[in-house]
């Protein structure tokens, strides 16, 4: 995780990076069949073949999702670029054809492209004229089109699209912090207008280096979501993943089994004992990570729960203890992880993009499976750049495929040259990213409605997230963590002599990060939308007028490479929508929050929810409802979670989700958990729709009670027709931890 708002003291640079050196035993993390470790990489092979990797989803099926119709079949390994070709020399593919992992794109757009003035809109006419001349001469048919375009327009009047372009996109970079350099390069490439010291008038885009905290932005777009930092903290992320693992254990098996300390210490001890008893040959290792920690700070490995360092720190600094992945994929005998950049473009509707390339950060000591002797060797077990930079073995390299920090595409290229199924790997990664974001969105929506209530002026948000992923020996990607504030530095520190550091440009960082920022901006371009709207209007007014004015200068797009970010959601929504149950529980929660600006539900709100959904009956009285509320709320509030409203004694979303699951288990005993929850959601949605319908009838004397519509992408369930019929056999929950939790829940609801 990146430090929130602060730079690593002294080590500052791109928090990613790491690298190997030397050789060693490395007998453990044996490479997947057919792709040995050493000698894997033909010298001088550039990541040209990366296009290869970028293929899609054969592997979607691996998660029980239909692999059909997912992607351009033709993009397979066969289409990889000839080795030795520099990515920059490749012709940019059309976006629709370009899967993640495609050749890394040139970080800098040609500076001698279309005239800056024409693009920024300032003093545009001369440039436009020059451009018109060029086009008229070069492009067949364009002169004629230009003449027609001129003839259509009244003299002195500009087309809507043209006047929109003239305004220029404005970006406030005054709070960009360490992402400033990459942002500046991106803005230069886009020829957008930067306001480095802020601006009295509103800007189109506000670029913040740390988190969403400005309450004085009322319009435009901000590159941070409210509550994102809190939502991806180690403990909160682990809780969200746990909830999803309880619902969909197989789909969410890409996140290591985790426990939250100190509150789940007894559960951790009990479960480990149970698992050891049932499988005596299991010799696990665990990794303890302080909540809110970053850059490997405070992390240590243990072999047994009794080794947890309880002395003070755990109480004052909660942590996550997690199963340690003992058999990672190695390269050059070294452990490495992947930093992938993901753009959450919109929360409602959900829109997710993945960067086509990322970074790989390497350890600096040859890897060995953990033993009591090597547990403390951080250069062997932790891939953090900030740690490994202090190793004498750390290698800075300007090449994308050597050194302690490389592009992910260079890794894929090596894997592919060994026959690995990189297409499936990409597909698994896409699936991991979408599922993780689905786990995070409920909490984010609660923060969002609180900070930017609907109907009030406020910005819209987007955010670049850093996904840290570890590949297992069998190429299965495992999520380590999500960074709300991934380092966007494009330089690294080099130690000239002990303690003396110098900042030097890092081409590997620049290549990836500038492309990520620039293309995020391109996707968020407010003028694109305006242009589209204007074109729609003018095409309604005058058929045929919707085309780009023929004599207008080409947009900045013309000078830029194809997009570095690829949409994965809603593109693959149909494969994942069934997972969005907690989202629907969160929608119920938000509906009953009442007071705008709050993130916690009061006892009255909870009672109203129960009443409106008609969930109480002779077996579950309103007194029992109150007890459930008090019991769960008190426990969640005693956990000392770093929450926006820590002093508010109400029920947070996670507590509501727990209460909801309890009610679902109570009501639909015979079903597996996800079906219990789905049934209750549908029942609630349906009954609320009926209440809403009645209100309309009373209010206007018209409408009939409405039937609830299933949320997009969800299968119709029992809904108003009453609870589903039990299947006649009891479906056993797989996870022992879930059983324990269910027991606790049963105690609380008295069922
Ligand atoms: P931080 O935010 O401090 O960087 P991380 O969760 O990223 O914390 O962990 C730091 C490093 O520890 C990771 O980069 C990875 O190398 C290693 N690591 C973390 N969790 C695991 C795990 N479950 N199994 C194996 N290695 C892990």
């Amino acid at each position: 995780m990146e430090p929130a708002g602060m730079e690593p003291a002294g080590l500052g640079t791109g928090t990613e990076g790491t690298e190997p050196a030397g050789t060693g035993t490395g007998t453990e993390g044996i490479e997947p069949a057919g792709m040995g470790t050493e000698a894997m990489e033909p010298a001088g092979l550039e990541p040209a073949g990366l296009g290869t990797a970028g293929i899609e989803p054969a592997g979607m099926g691996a998660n029980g999702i239909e692999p059909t119709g997912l992607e351009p079949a033709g993009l397979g390994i066969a289409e990889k670029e000839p080795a030795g070709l520099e990515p920059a020399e490749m012709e940019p593919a059309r976006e629709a054809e370009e899967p993640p992992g495609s050749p890394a794109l040139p970080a800098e757009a040609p500076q001698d492209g279309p005239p800056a003035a024409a693009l920024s809109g300032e003093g545009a006419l001369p440039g436009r004229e020059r451009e018109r001349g060029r086009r008229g001469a070069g492009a067949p048919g364009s002169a004629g089109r230009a003449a027609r375009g001129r003839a259509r327009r009244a003299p002195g009047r500009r087309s809507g699209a043209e006047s929109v372009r003239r305004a220029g996109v404005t970006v406030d970079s005054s709070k960009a912090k360490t992402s400033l350099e990459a942002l500046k390069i991106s803005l230069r490439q886009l020829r957008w207008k930067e306001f480095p010291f802020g601006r009295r008038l509103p800007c189109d885009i506000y670029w913040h280096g740390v988190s969403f905290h400005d309450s004085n932005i009322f319009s435009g777009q901000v590159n941070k979501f409210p509550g994102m930092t809190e939502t991806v903290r180690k403990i909160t992320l682990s809780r969200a993943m746990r909830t999803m693992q309880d619902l969909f254990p197989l789909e969410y098996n890409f996140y290591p089994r985790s426990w939250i300390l100190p509150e789940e210490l007894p559960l951790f001890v009990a479960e480990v004992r149970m698992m050891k008893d049932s499988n005596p040959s299991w010799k696990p290792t665990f990794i303890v990570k302080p909540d809110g920690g970053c850059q490997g700070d405070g992390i240590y490995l243990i072999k047994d729960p009794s080794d947890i360092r309880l002395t003070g720190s755990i109480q004052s600094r909660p942590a996550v203890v997690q199963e340690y992945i003992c058999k990672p994929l190695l390269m050059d005998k070294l452990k490495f992880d992947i930093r992938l950049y993901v753009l959450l473009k919109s929360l409602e509707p959900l829109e997710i993009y993945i960067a086509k390339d990322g970074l790989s950060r390497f350890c600096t000591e040859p890897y060995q499976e953990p033993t009591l002797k090597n547990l403390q060797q951080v250069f062997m077990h932790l891939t953090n750049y900030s740690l490994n930079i202090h190793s004498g073995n750390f290698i800075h390299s300007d090449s994308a495929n050597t050194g302690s920090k490389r592009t992910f595409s260079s890794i894929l290229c090596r894997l592919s040259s060994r026959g690995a199924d990189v297409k499936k790997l990409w597909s698994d990664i896409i699936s991991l990213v979408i599922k993780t974001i689905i786990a995070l969105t409920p909490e984010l929506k609660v923060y969002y409605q609180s900070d930017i209530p609907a109907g009030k002026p406020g910005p819209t948000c987007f955010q670049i997230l850093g996904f840290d992923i570890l590949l297992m020996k069998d190429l299965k990607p495992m999520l380590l963590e999500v960074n709300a504030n991934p380092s966007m530095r494009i330089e690294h520190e080099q130690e000239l002599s002990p303690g003396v550091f110098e900042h030097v440009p890092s081409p590997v960082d620049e290549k990836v990060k500038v492309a990520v920022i620039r293309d995020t901006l391109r996707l968020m371009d407010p003028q694109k939308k305006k242009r589209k709207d204007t074109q729609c209007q003018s095409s309604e007014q005058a058929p045929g007028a919707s085309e780009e004015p023929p004599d207008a200068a080409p947009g900045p797009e013309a000078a830029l490479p194809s997009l570095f970010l690829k949409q994965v959601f809603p593109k693959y929504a149909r494969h994942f929508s069934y997972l969005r149950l907690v989202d629907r529980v969160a929608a119920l929660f938000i509906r009953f929050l009442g007071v705008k600006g709050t993130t916690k539900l009061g006892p009255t709100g909870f009672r109203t929810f129960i009443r409106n959904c008609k969930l109480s009956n002779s077996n579950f009285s309103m007194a029992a409802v109150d007890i459930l509320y008090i019991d769960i709320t008190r426990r969640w509030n005693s956990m000392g979670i770093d929450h926006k409203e820590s002093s508010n004694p109400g029920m947070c979303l996670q507590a509501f989700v727990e209460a909801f699951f309890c009610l679902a288990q109570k009501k639909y005993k015979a079903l597996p958990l996800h079906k219990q929850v789905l049934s209750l959601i549908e029942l609630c949605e349906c009954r609320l729709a009926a209440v809403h319908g009645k209100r309309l009838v009373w209010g206007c004397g018209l409408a009939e009670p409405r039937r609830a519509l299933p949320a997009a992408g969800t299968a119709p369930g029992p809904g108003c027709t009453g609870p589903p019929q039990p299947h006649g056999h009891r479906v056993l929950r797989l996870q022992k931890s879930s059983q324990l939790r269910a027991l606790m829940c049963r105690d609380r609801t008295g069922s």
Side-chain angles (χ1 to χ4, degrees), residues 1 234 289 294-296 322-323 325 335 383-384 481:
M1 176 170 157
K234 292 182 173 60
K289 310 195 242 184
C294 56
Q295 303 182 346
Q322 196 168 73
E323 228 179 307
I325 298 156
K335 176 175 171 178
T383 48
N384 299 78
E481 72 164 349

Side-chain angles (χ1 to χ4, degrees), residues 126-414:
R128 209 175 290 273
E129 291 302 329
R130 273 200 303 279
E131 185 56 30
R132 189 187 298 158
R134 267 210 298 273
R135 289 230 254 156
S142 62
R145 275 206 312 277
R148 280 198 300 281
R150 275 196 299 278
R152 259 204 308 270
R153 258 176 287 142
R157 269 188 62 202
R158 291 189 193 110
S159 77
E162 199 178 346
S163 51
V164 163
R165 187 175 300 144
R166 281 175 169 276
V169 181
T170 53
V171 180
D172 179 337
S173 64
S174 60
K175 291 178 182 157
K177 303 222 169 190
T178 55
S179 58
L180 188 60
E181 269 316 299
L183 177 65
K184 276 183 184 297
I185 296 174
S186 303
L187 293 177
R188 274 203 300 276
Q189 291 181 7
L190 294 167
R191 290 146 203 218
W192 287 6
K193 194 147 179 55
E194 182 192 354
F195 287 85
F197 307 107
R199 189 190 189 201
R200 206 166 31 85
L201 293 171
C203 276
D204 293 312
I205 293 179
Y206 297 84
W207 197 272
H208 287 184
V210 185
S211 58
F212 181 94
H213 53 261
D214 263 329
S215 50
N216 56 354
I217 300 176
F218 301 107
S219 63
Q221 307 179 80
V222 185
N223 70 324
K224 301 285 174 190
F225 276 94
M228 183 66 87
T229 309
E230 293 81 354
T231 304
V232 300
R233 279 172 79 107
K234 292 182 173 60
I235 285 187
T236 334
L237 175 71
S238 295
R239 282 193 210 287
M241 298 307 277
R242 162 98 55 84
T243 302
M244 296 310 288
Q245 286 173 333
D246 283 349
L247 287 169
F248 302 103
L250 290 180
E251 286 89 339
Y252 279 83
N253 65 5
F254 58 84
Y255 190 68
R257 211 174 341 207
S258 307
W259 297 264
I260 289 142
L261 301 178
E263 78 207 49
E264 291 183 351
L265 185 59
L267 188 69
F268 172 50
V269 173
E271 290 193 347
V272 171
R273 191 180 308 132
M274 210 153 62
M275 288 185 280
K276 278 185 172 169
D277 286 350
S278 61
N279 178 11
S281 65
W282 187 53
K283 299 271 179 272
T285 303
F286 303 97
I287 182 164
V288 185
K289 310 195 242 184
D291 187 43
C294 56
Q295 303 182 346
D297 173 36
I299 290 183
Y300 60 96
L301 304 188
I302 54 170
K303 288 299 257 180
D304 191 84
S306 62
D307 299 332
I308 284 187
R309 297 173 199 160
L310 279 170
T311 48
S313 67
I314 281 291
Q315 293 304 331
S316 55
R317 198 176 177 190
V320 166
V321 57
Q322 196 168 73
E323 228 179 307
Y324 186 74
I325 298 156
C326 292
K327 294 185 191 298
L329 176 71
L330 302 185
M331 208 151 263
D332 303 332
K333 297 182 178 169
L334 298 163
K335 176 175 171 178
F336 66 96
D337 74 354
I338 305 157
R339 160 65 54 87
L340 271 189
Y341 299 92
V342 171
L343 168 65
L344 181 54
K345 184 169 180 271
S346 153
L347 204 50
E348 192 71 71
L350 186 58
E351 281 184 69
I352 308 168
Y353 286 73
I354 299 186
K356 294 172 181 175
D357 202 355
L359 298 170
S360 304
R361 295 90 49 102
F362 279 72
C363 276
T364 43
E365 290 280 342
Y367 184 78
Q368 289 170 10
E369 278 196 36
T371 60
L372 282 174
K373 276 197 185 144
N374 68 29
L375 281 188
Q376 276 94 20
Q377 297 194 26
V378 290
F379 298 150
M380 175 187 290
H381 291 293
L382 306 187
T383 48
N384 299 78
Y385 163 84
S386 49
L387 295 173
N388 284 278
I389 187 135
H390 294 293
S391 155
N393 293 335
F394 192 92
I395 298 175
H396 287 289
S397 168
D398 286 351
S399 158
N401 56 354
T402 58
S404 293
K405 188 189 288 187
R406 312 178 193 177
T407 57
F408 177 43
S409 49
S410 76
I411 304 284
L412 288 172
C413 186
R414 279 179 71 167

Side-chain angles (χ1 to χ4, degrees), residues 572-622:
Y572 301 128
R574 68 185 186 282
H575 300 283
F576 299 93
S577 290
Y578 74 100
L579 300 171
R580 302 182 70 187
L581 292 187
V582 186
D583 240 9
R584 291 165 75 183
V585 177
L588 294 170
F589 176 77
I590 290 170
R591 186 176 175 141
F592 288 94
L593 274 180
V595 184
K596 289 264 181 277
T598 185
T599 56
K600 288 190 171 180
L601 188 65
T604 312
F606 190 68
R607 281 178 140 245
T608 313
F609 155 69
I610 297 282
R611 257 204 214 104
N612 286 4
C613 296
K614 299 191 175 69
L615 298 181
S616 72
N617 51 38
S618 53
N619 286 333
F620 187 49
S621 65
M622 287 312 278

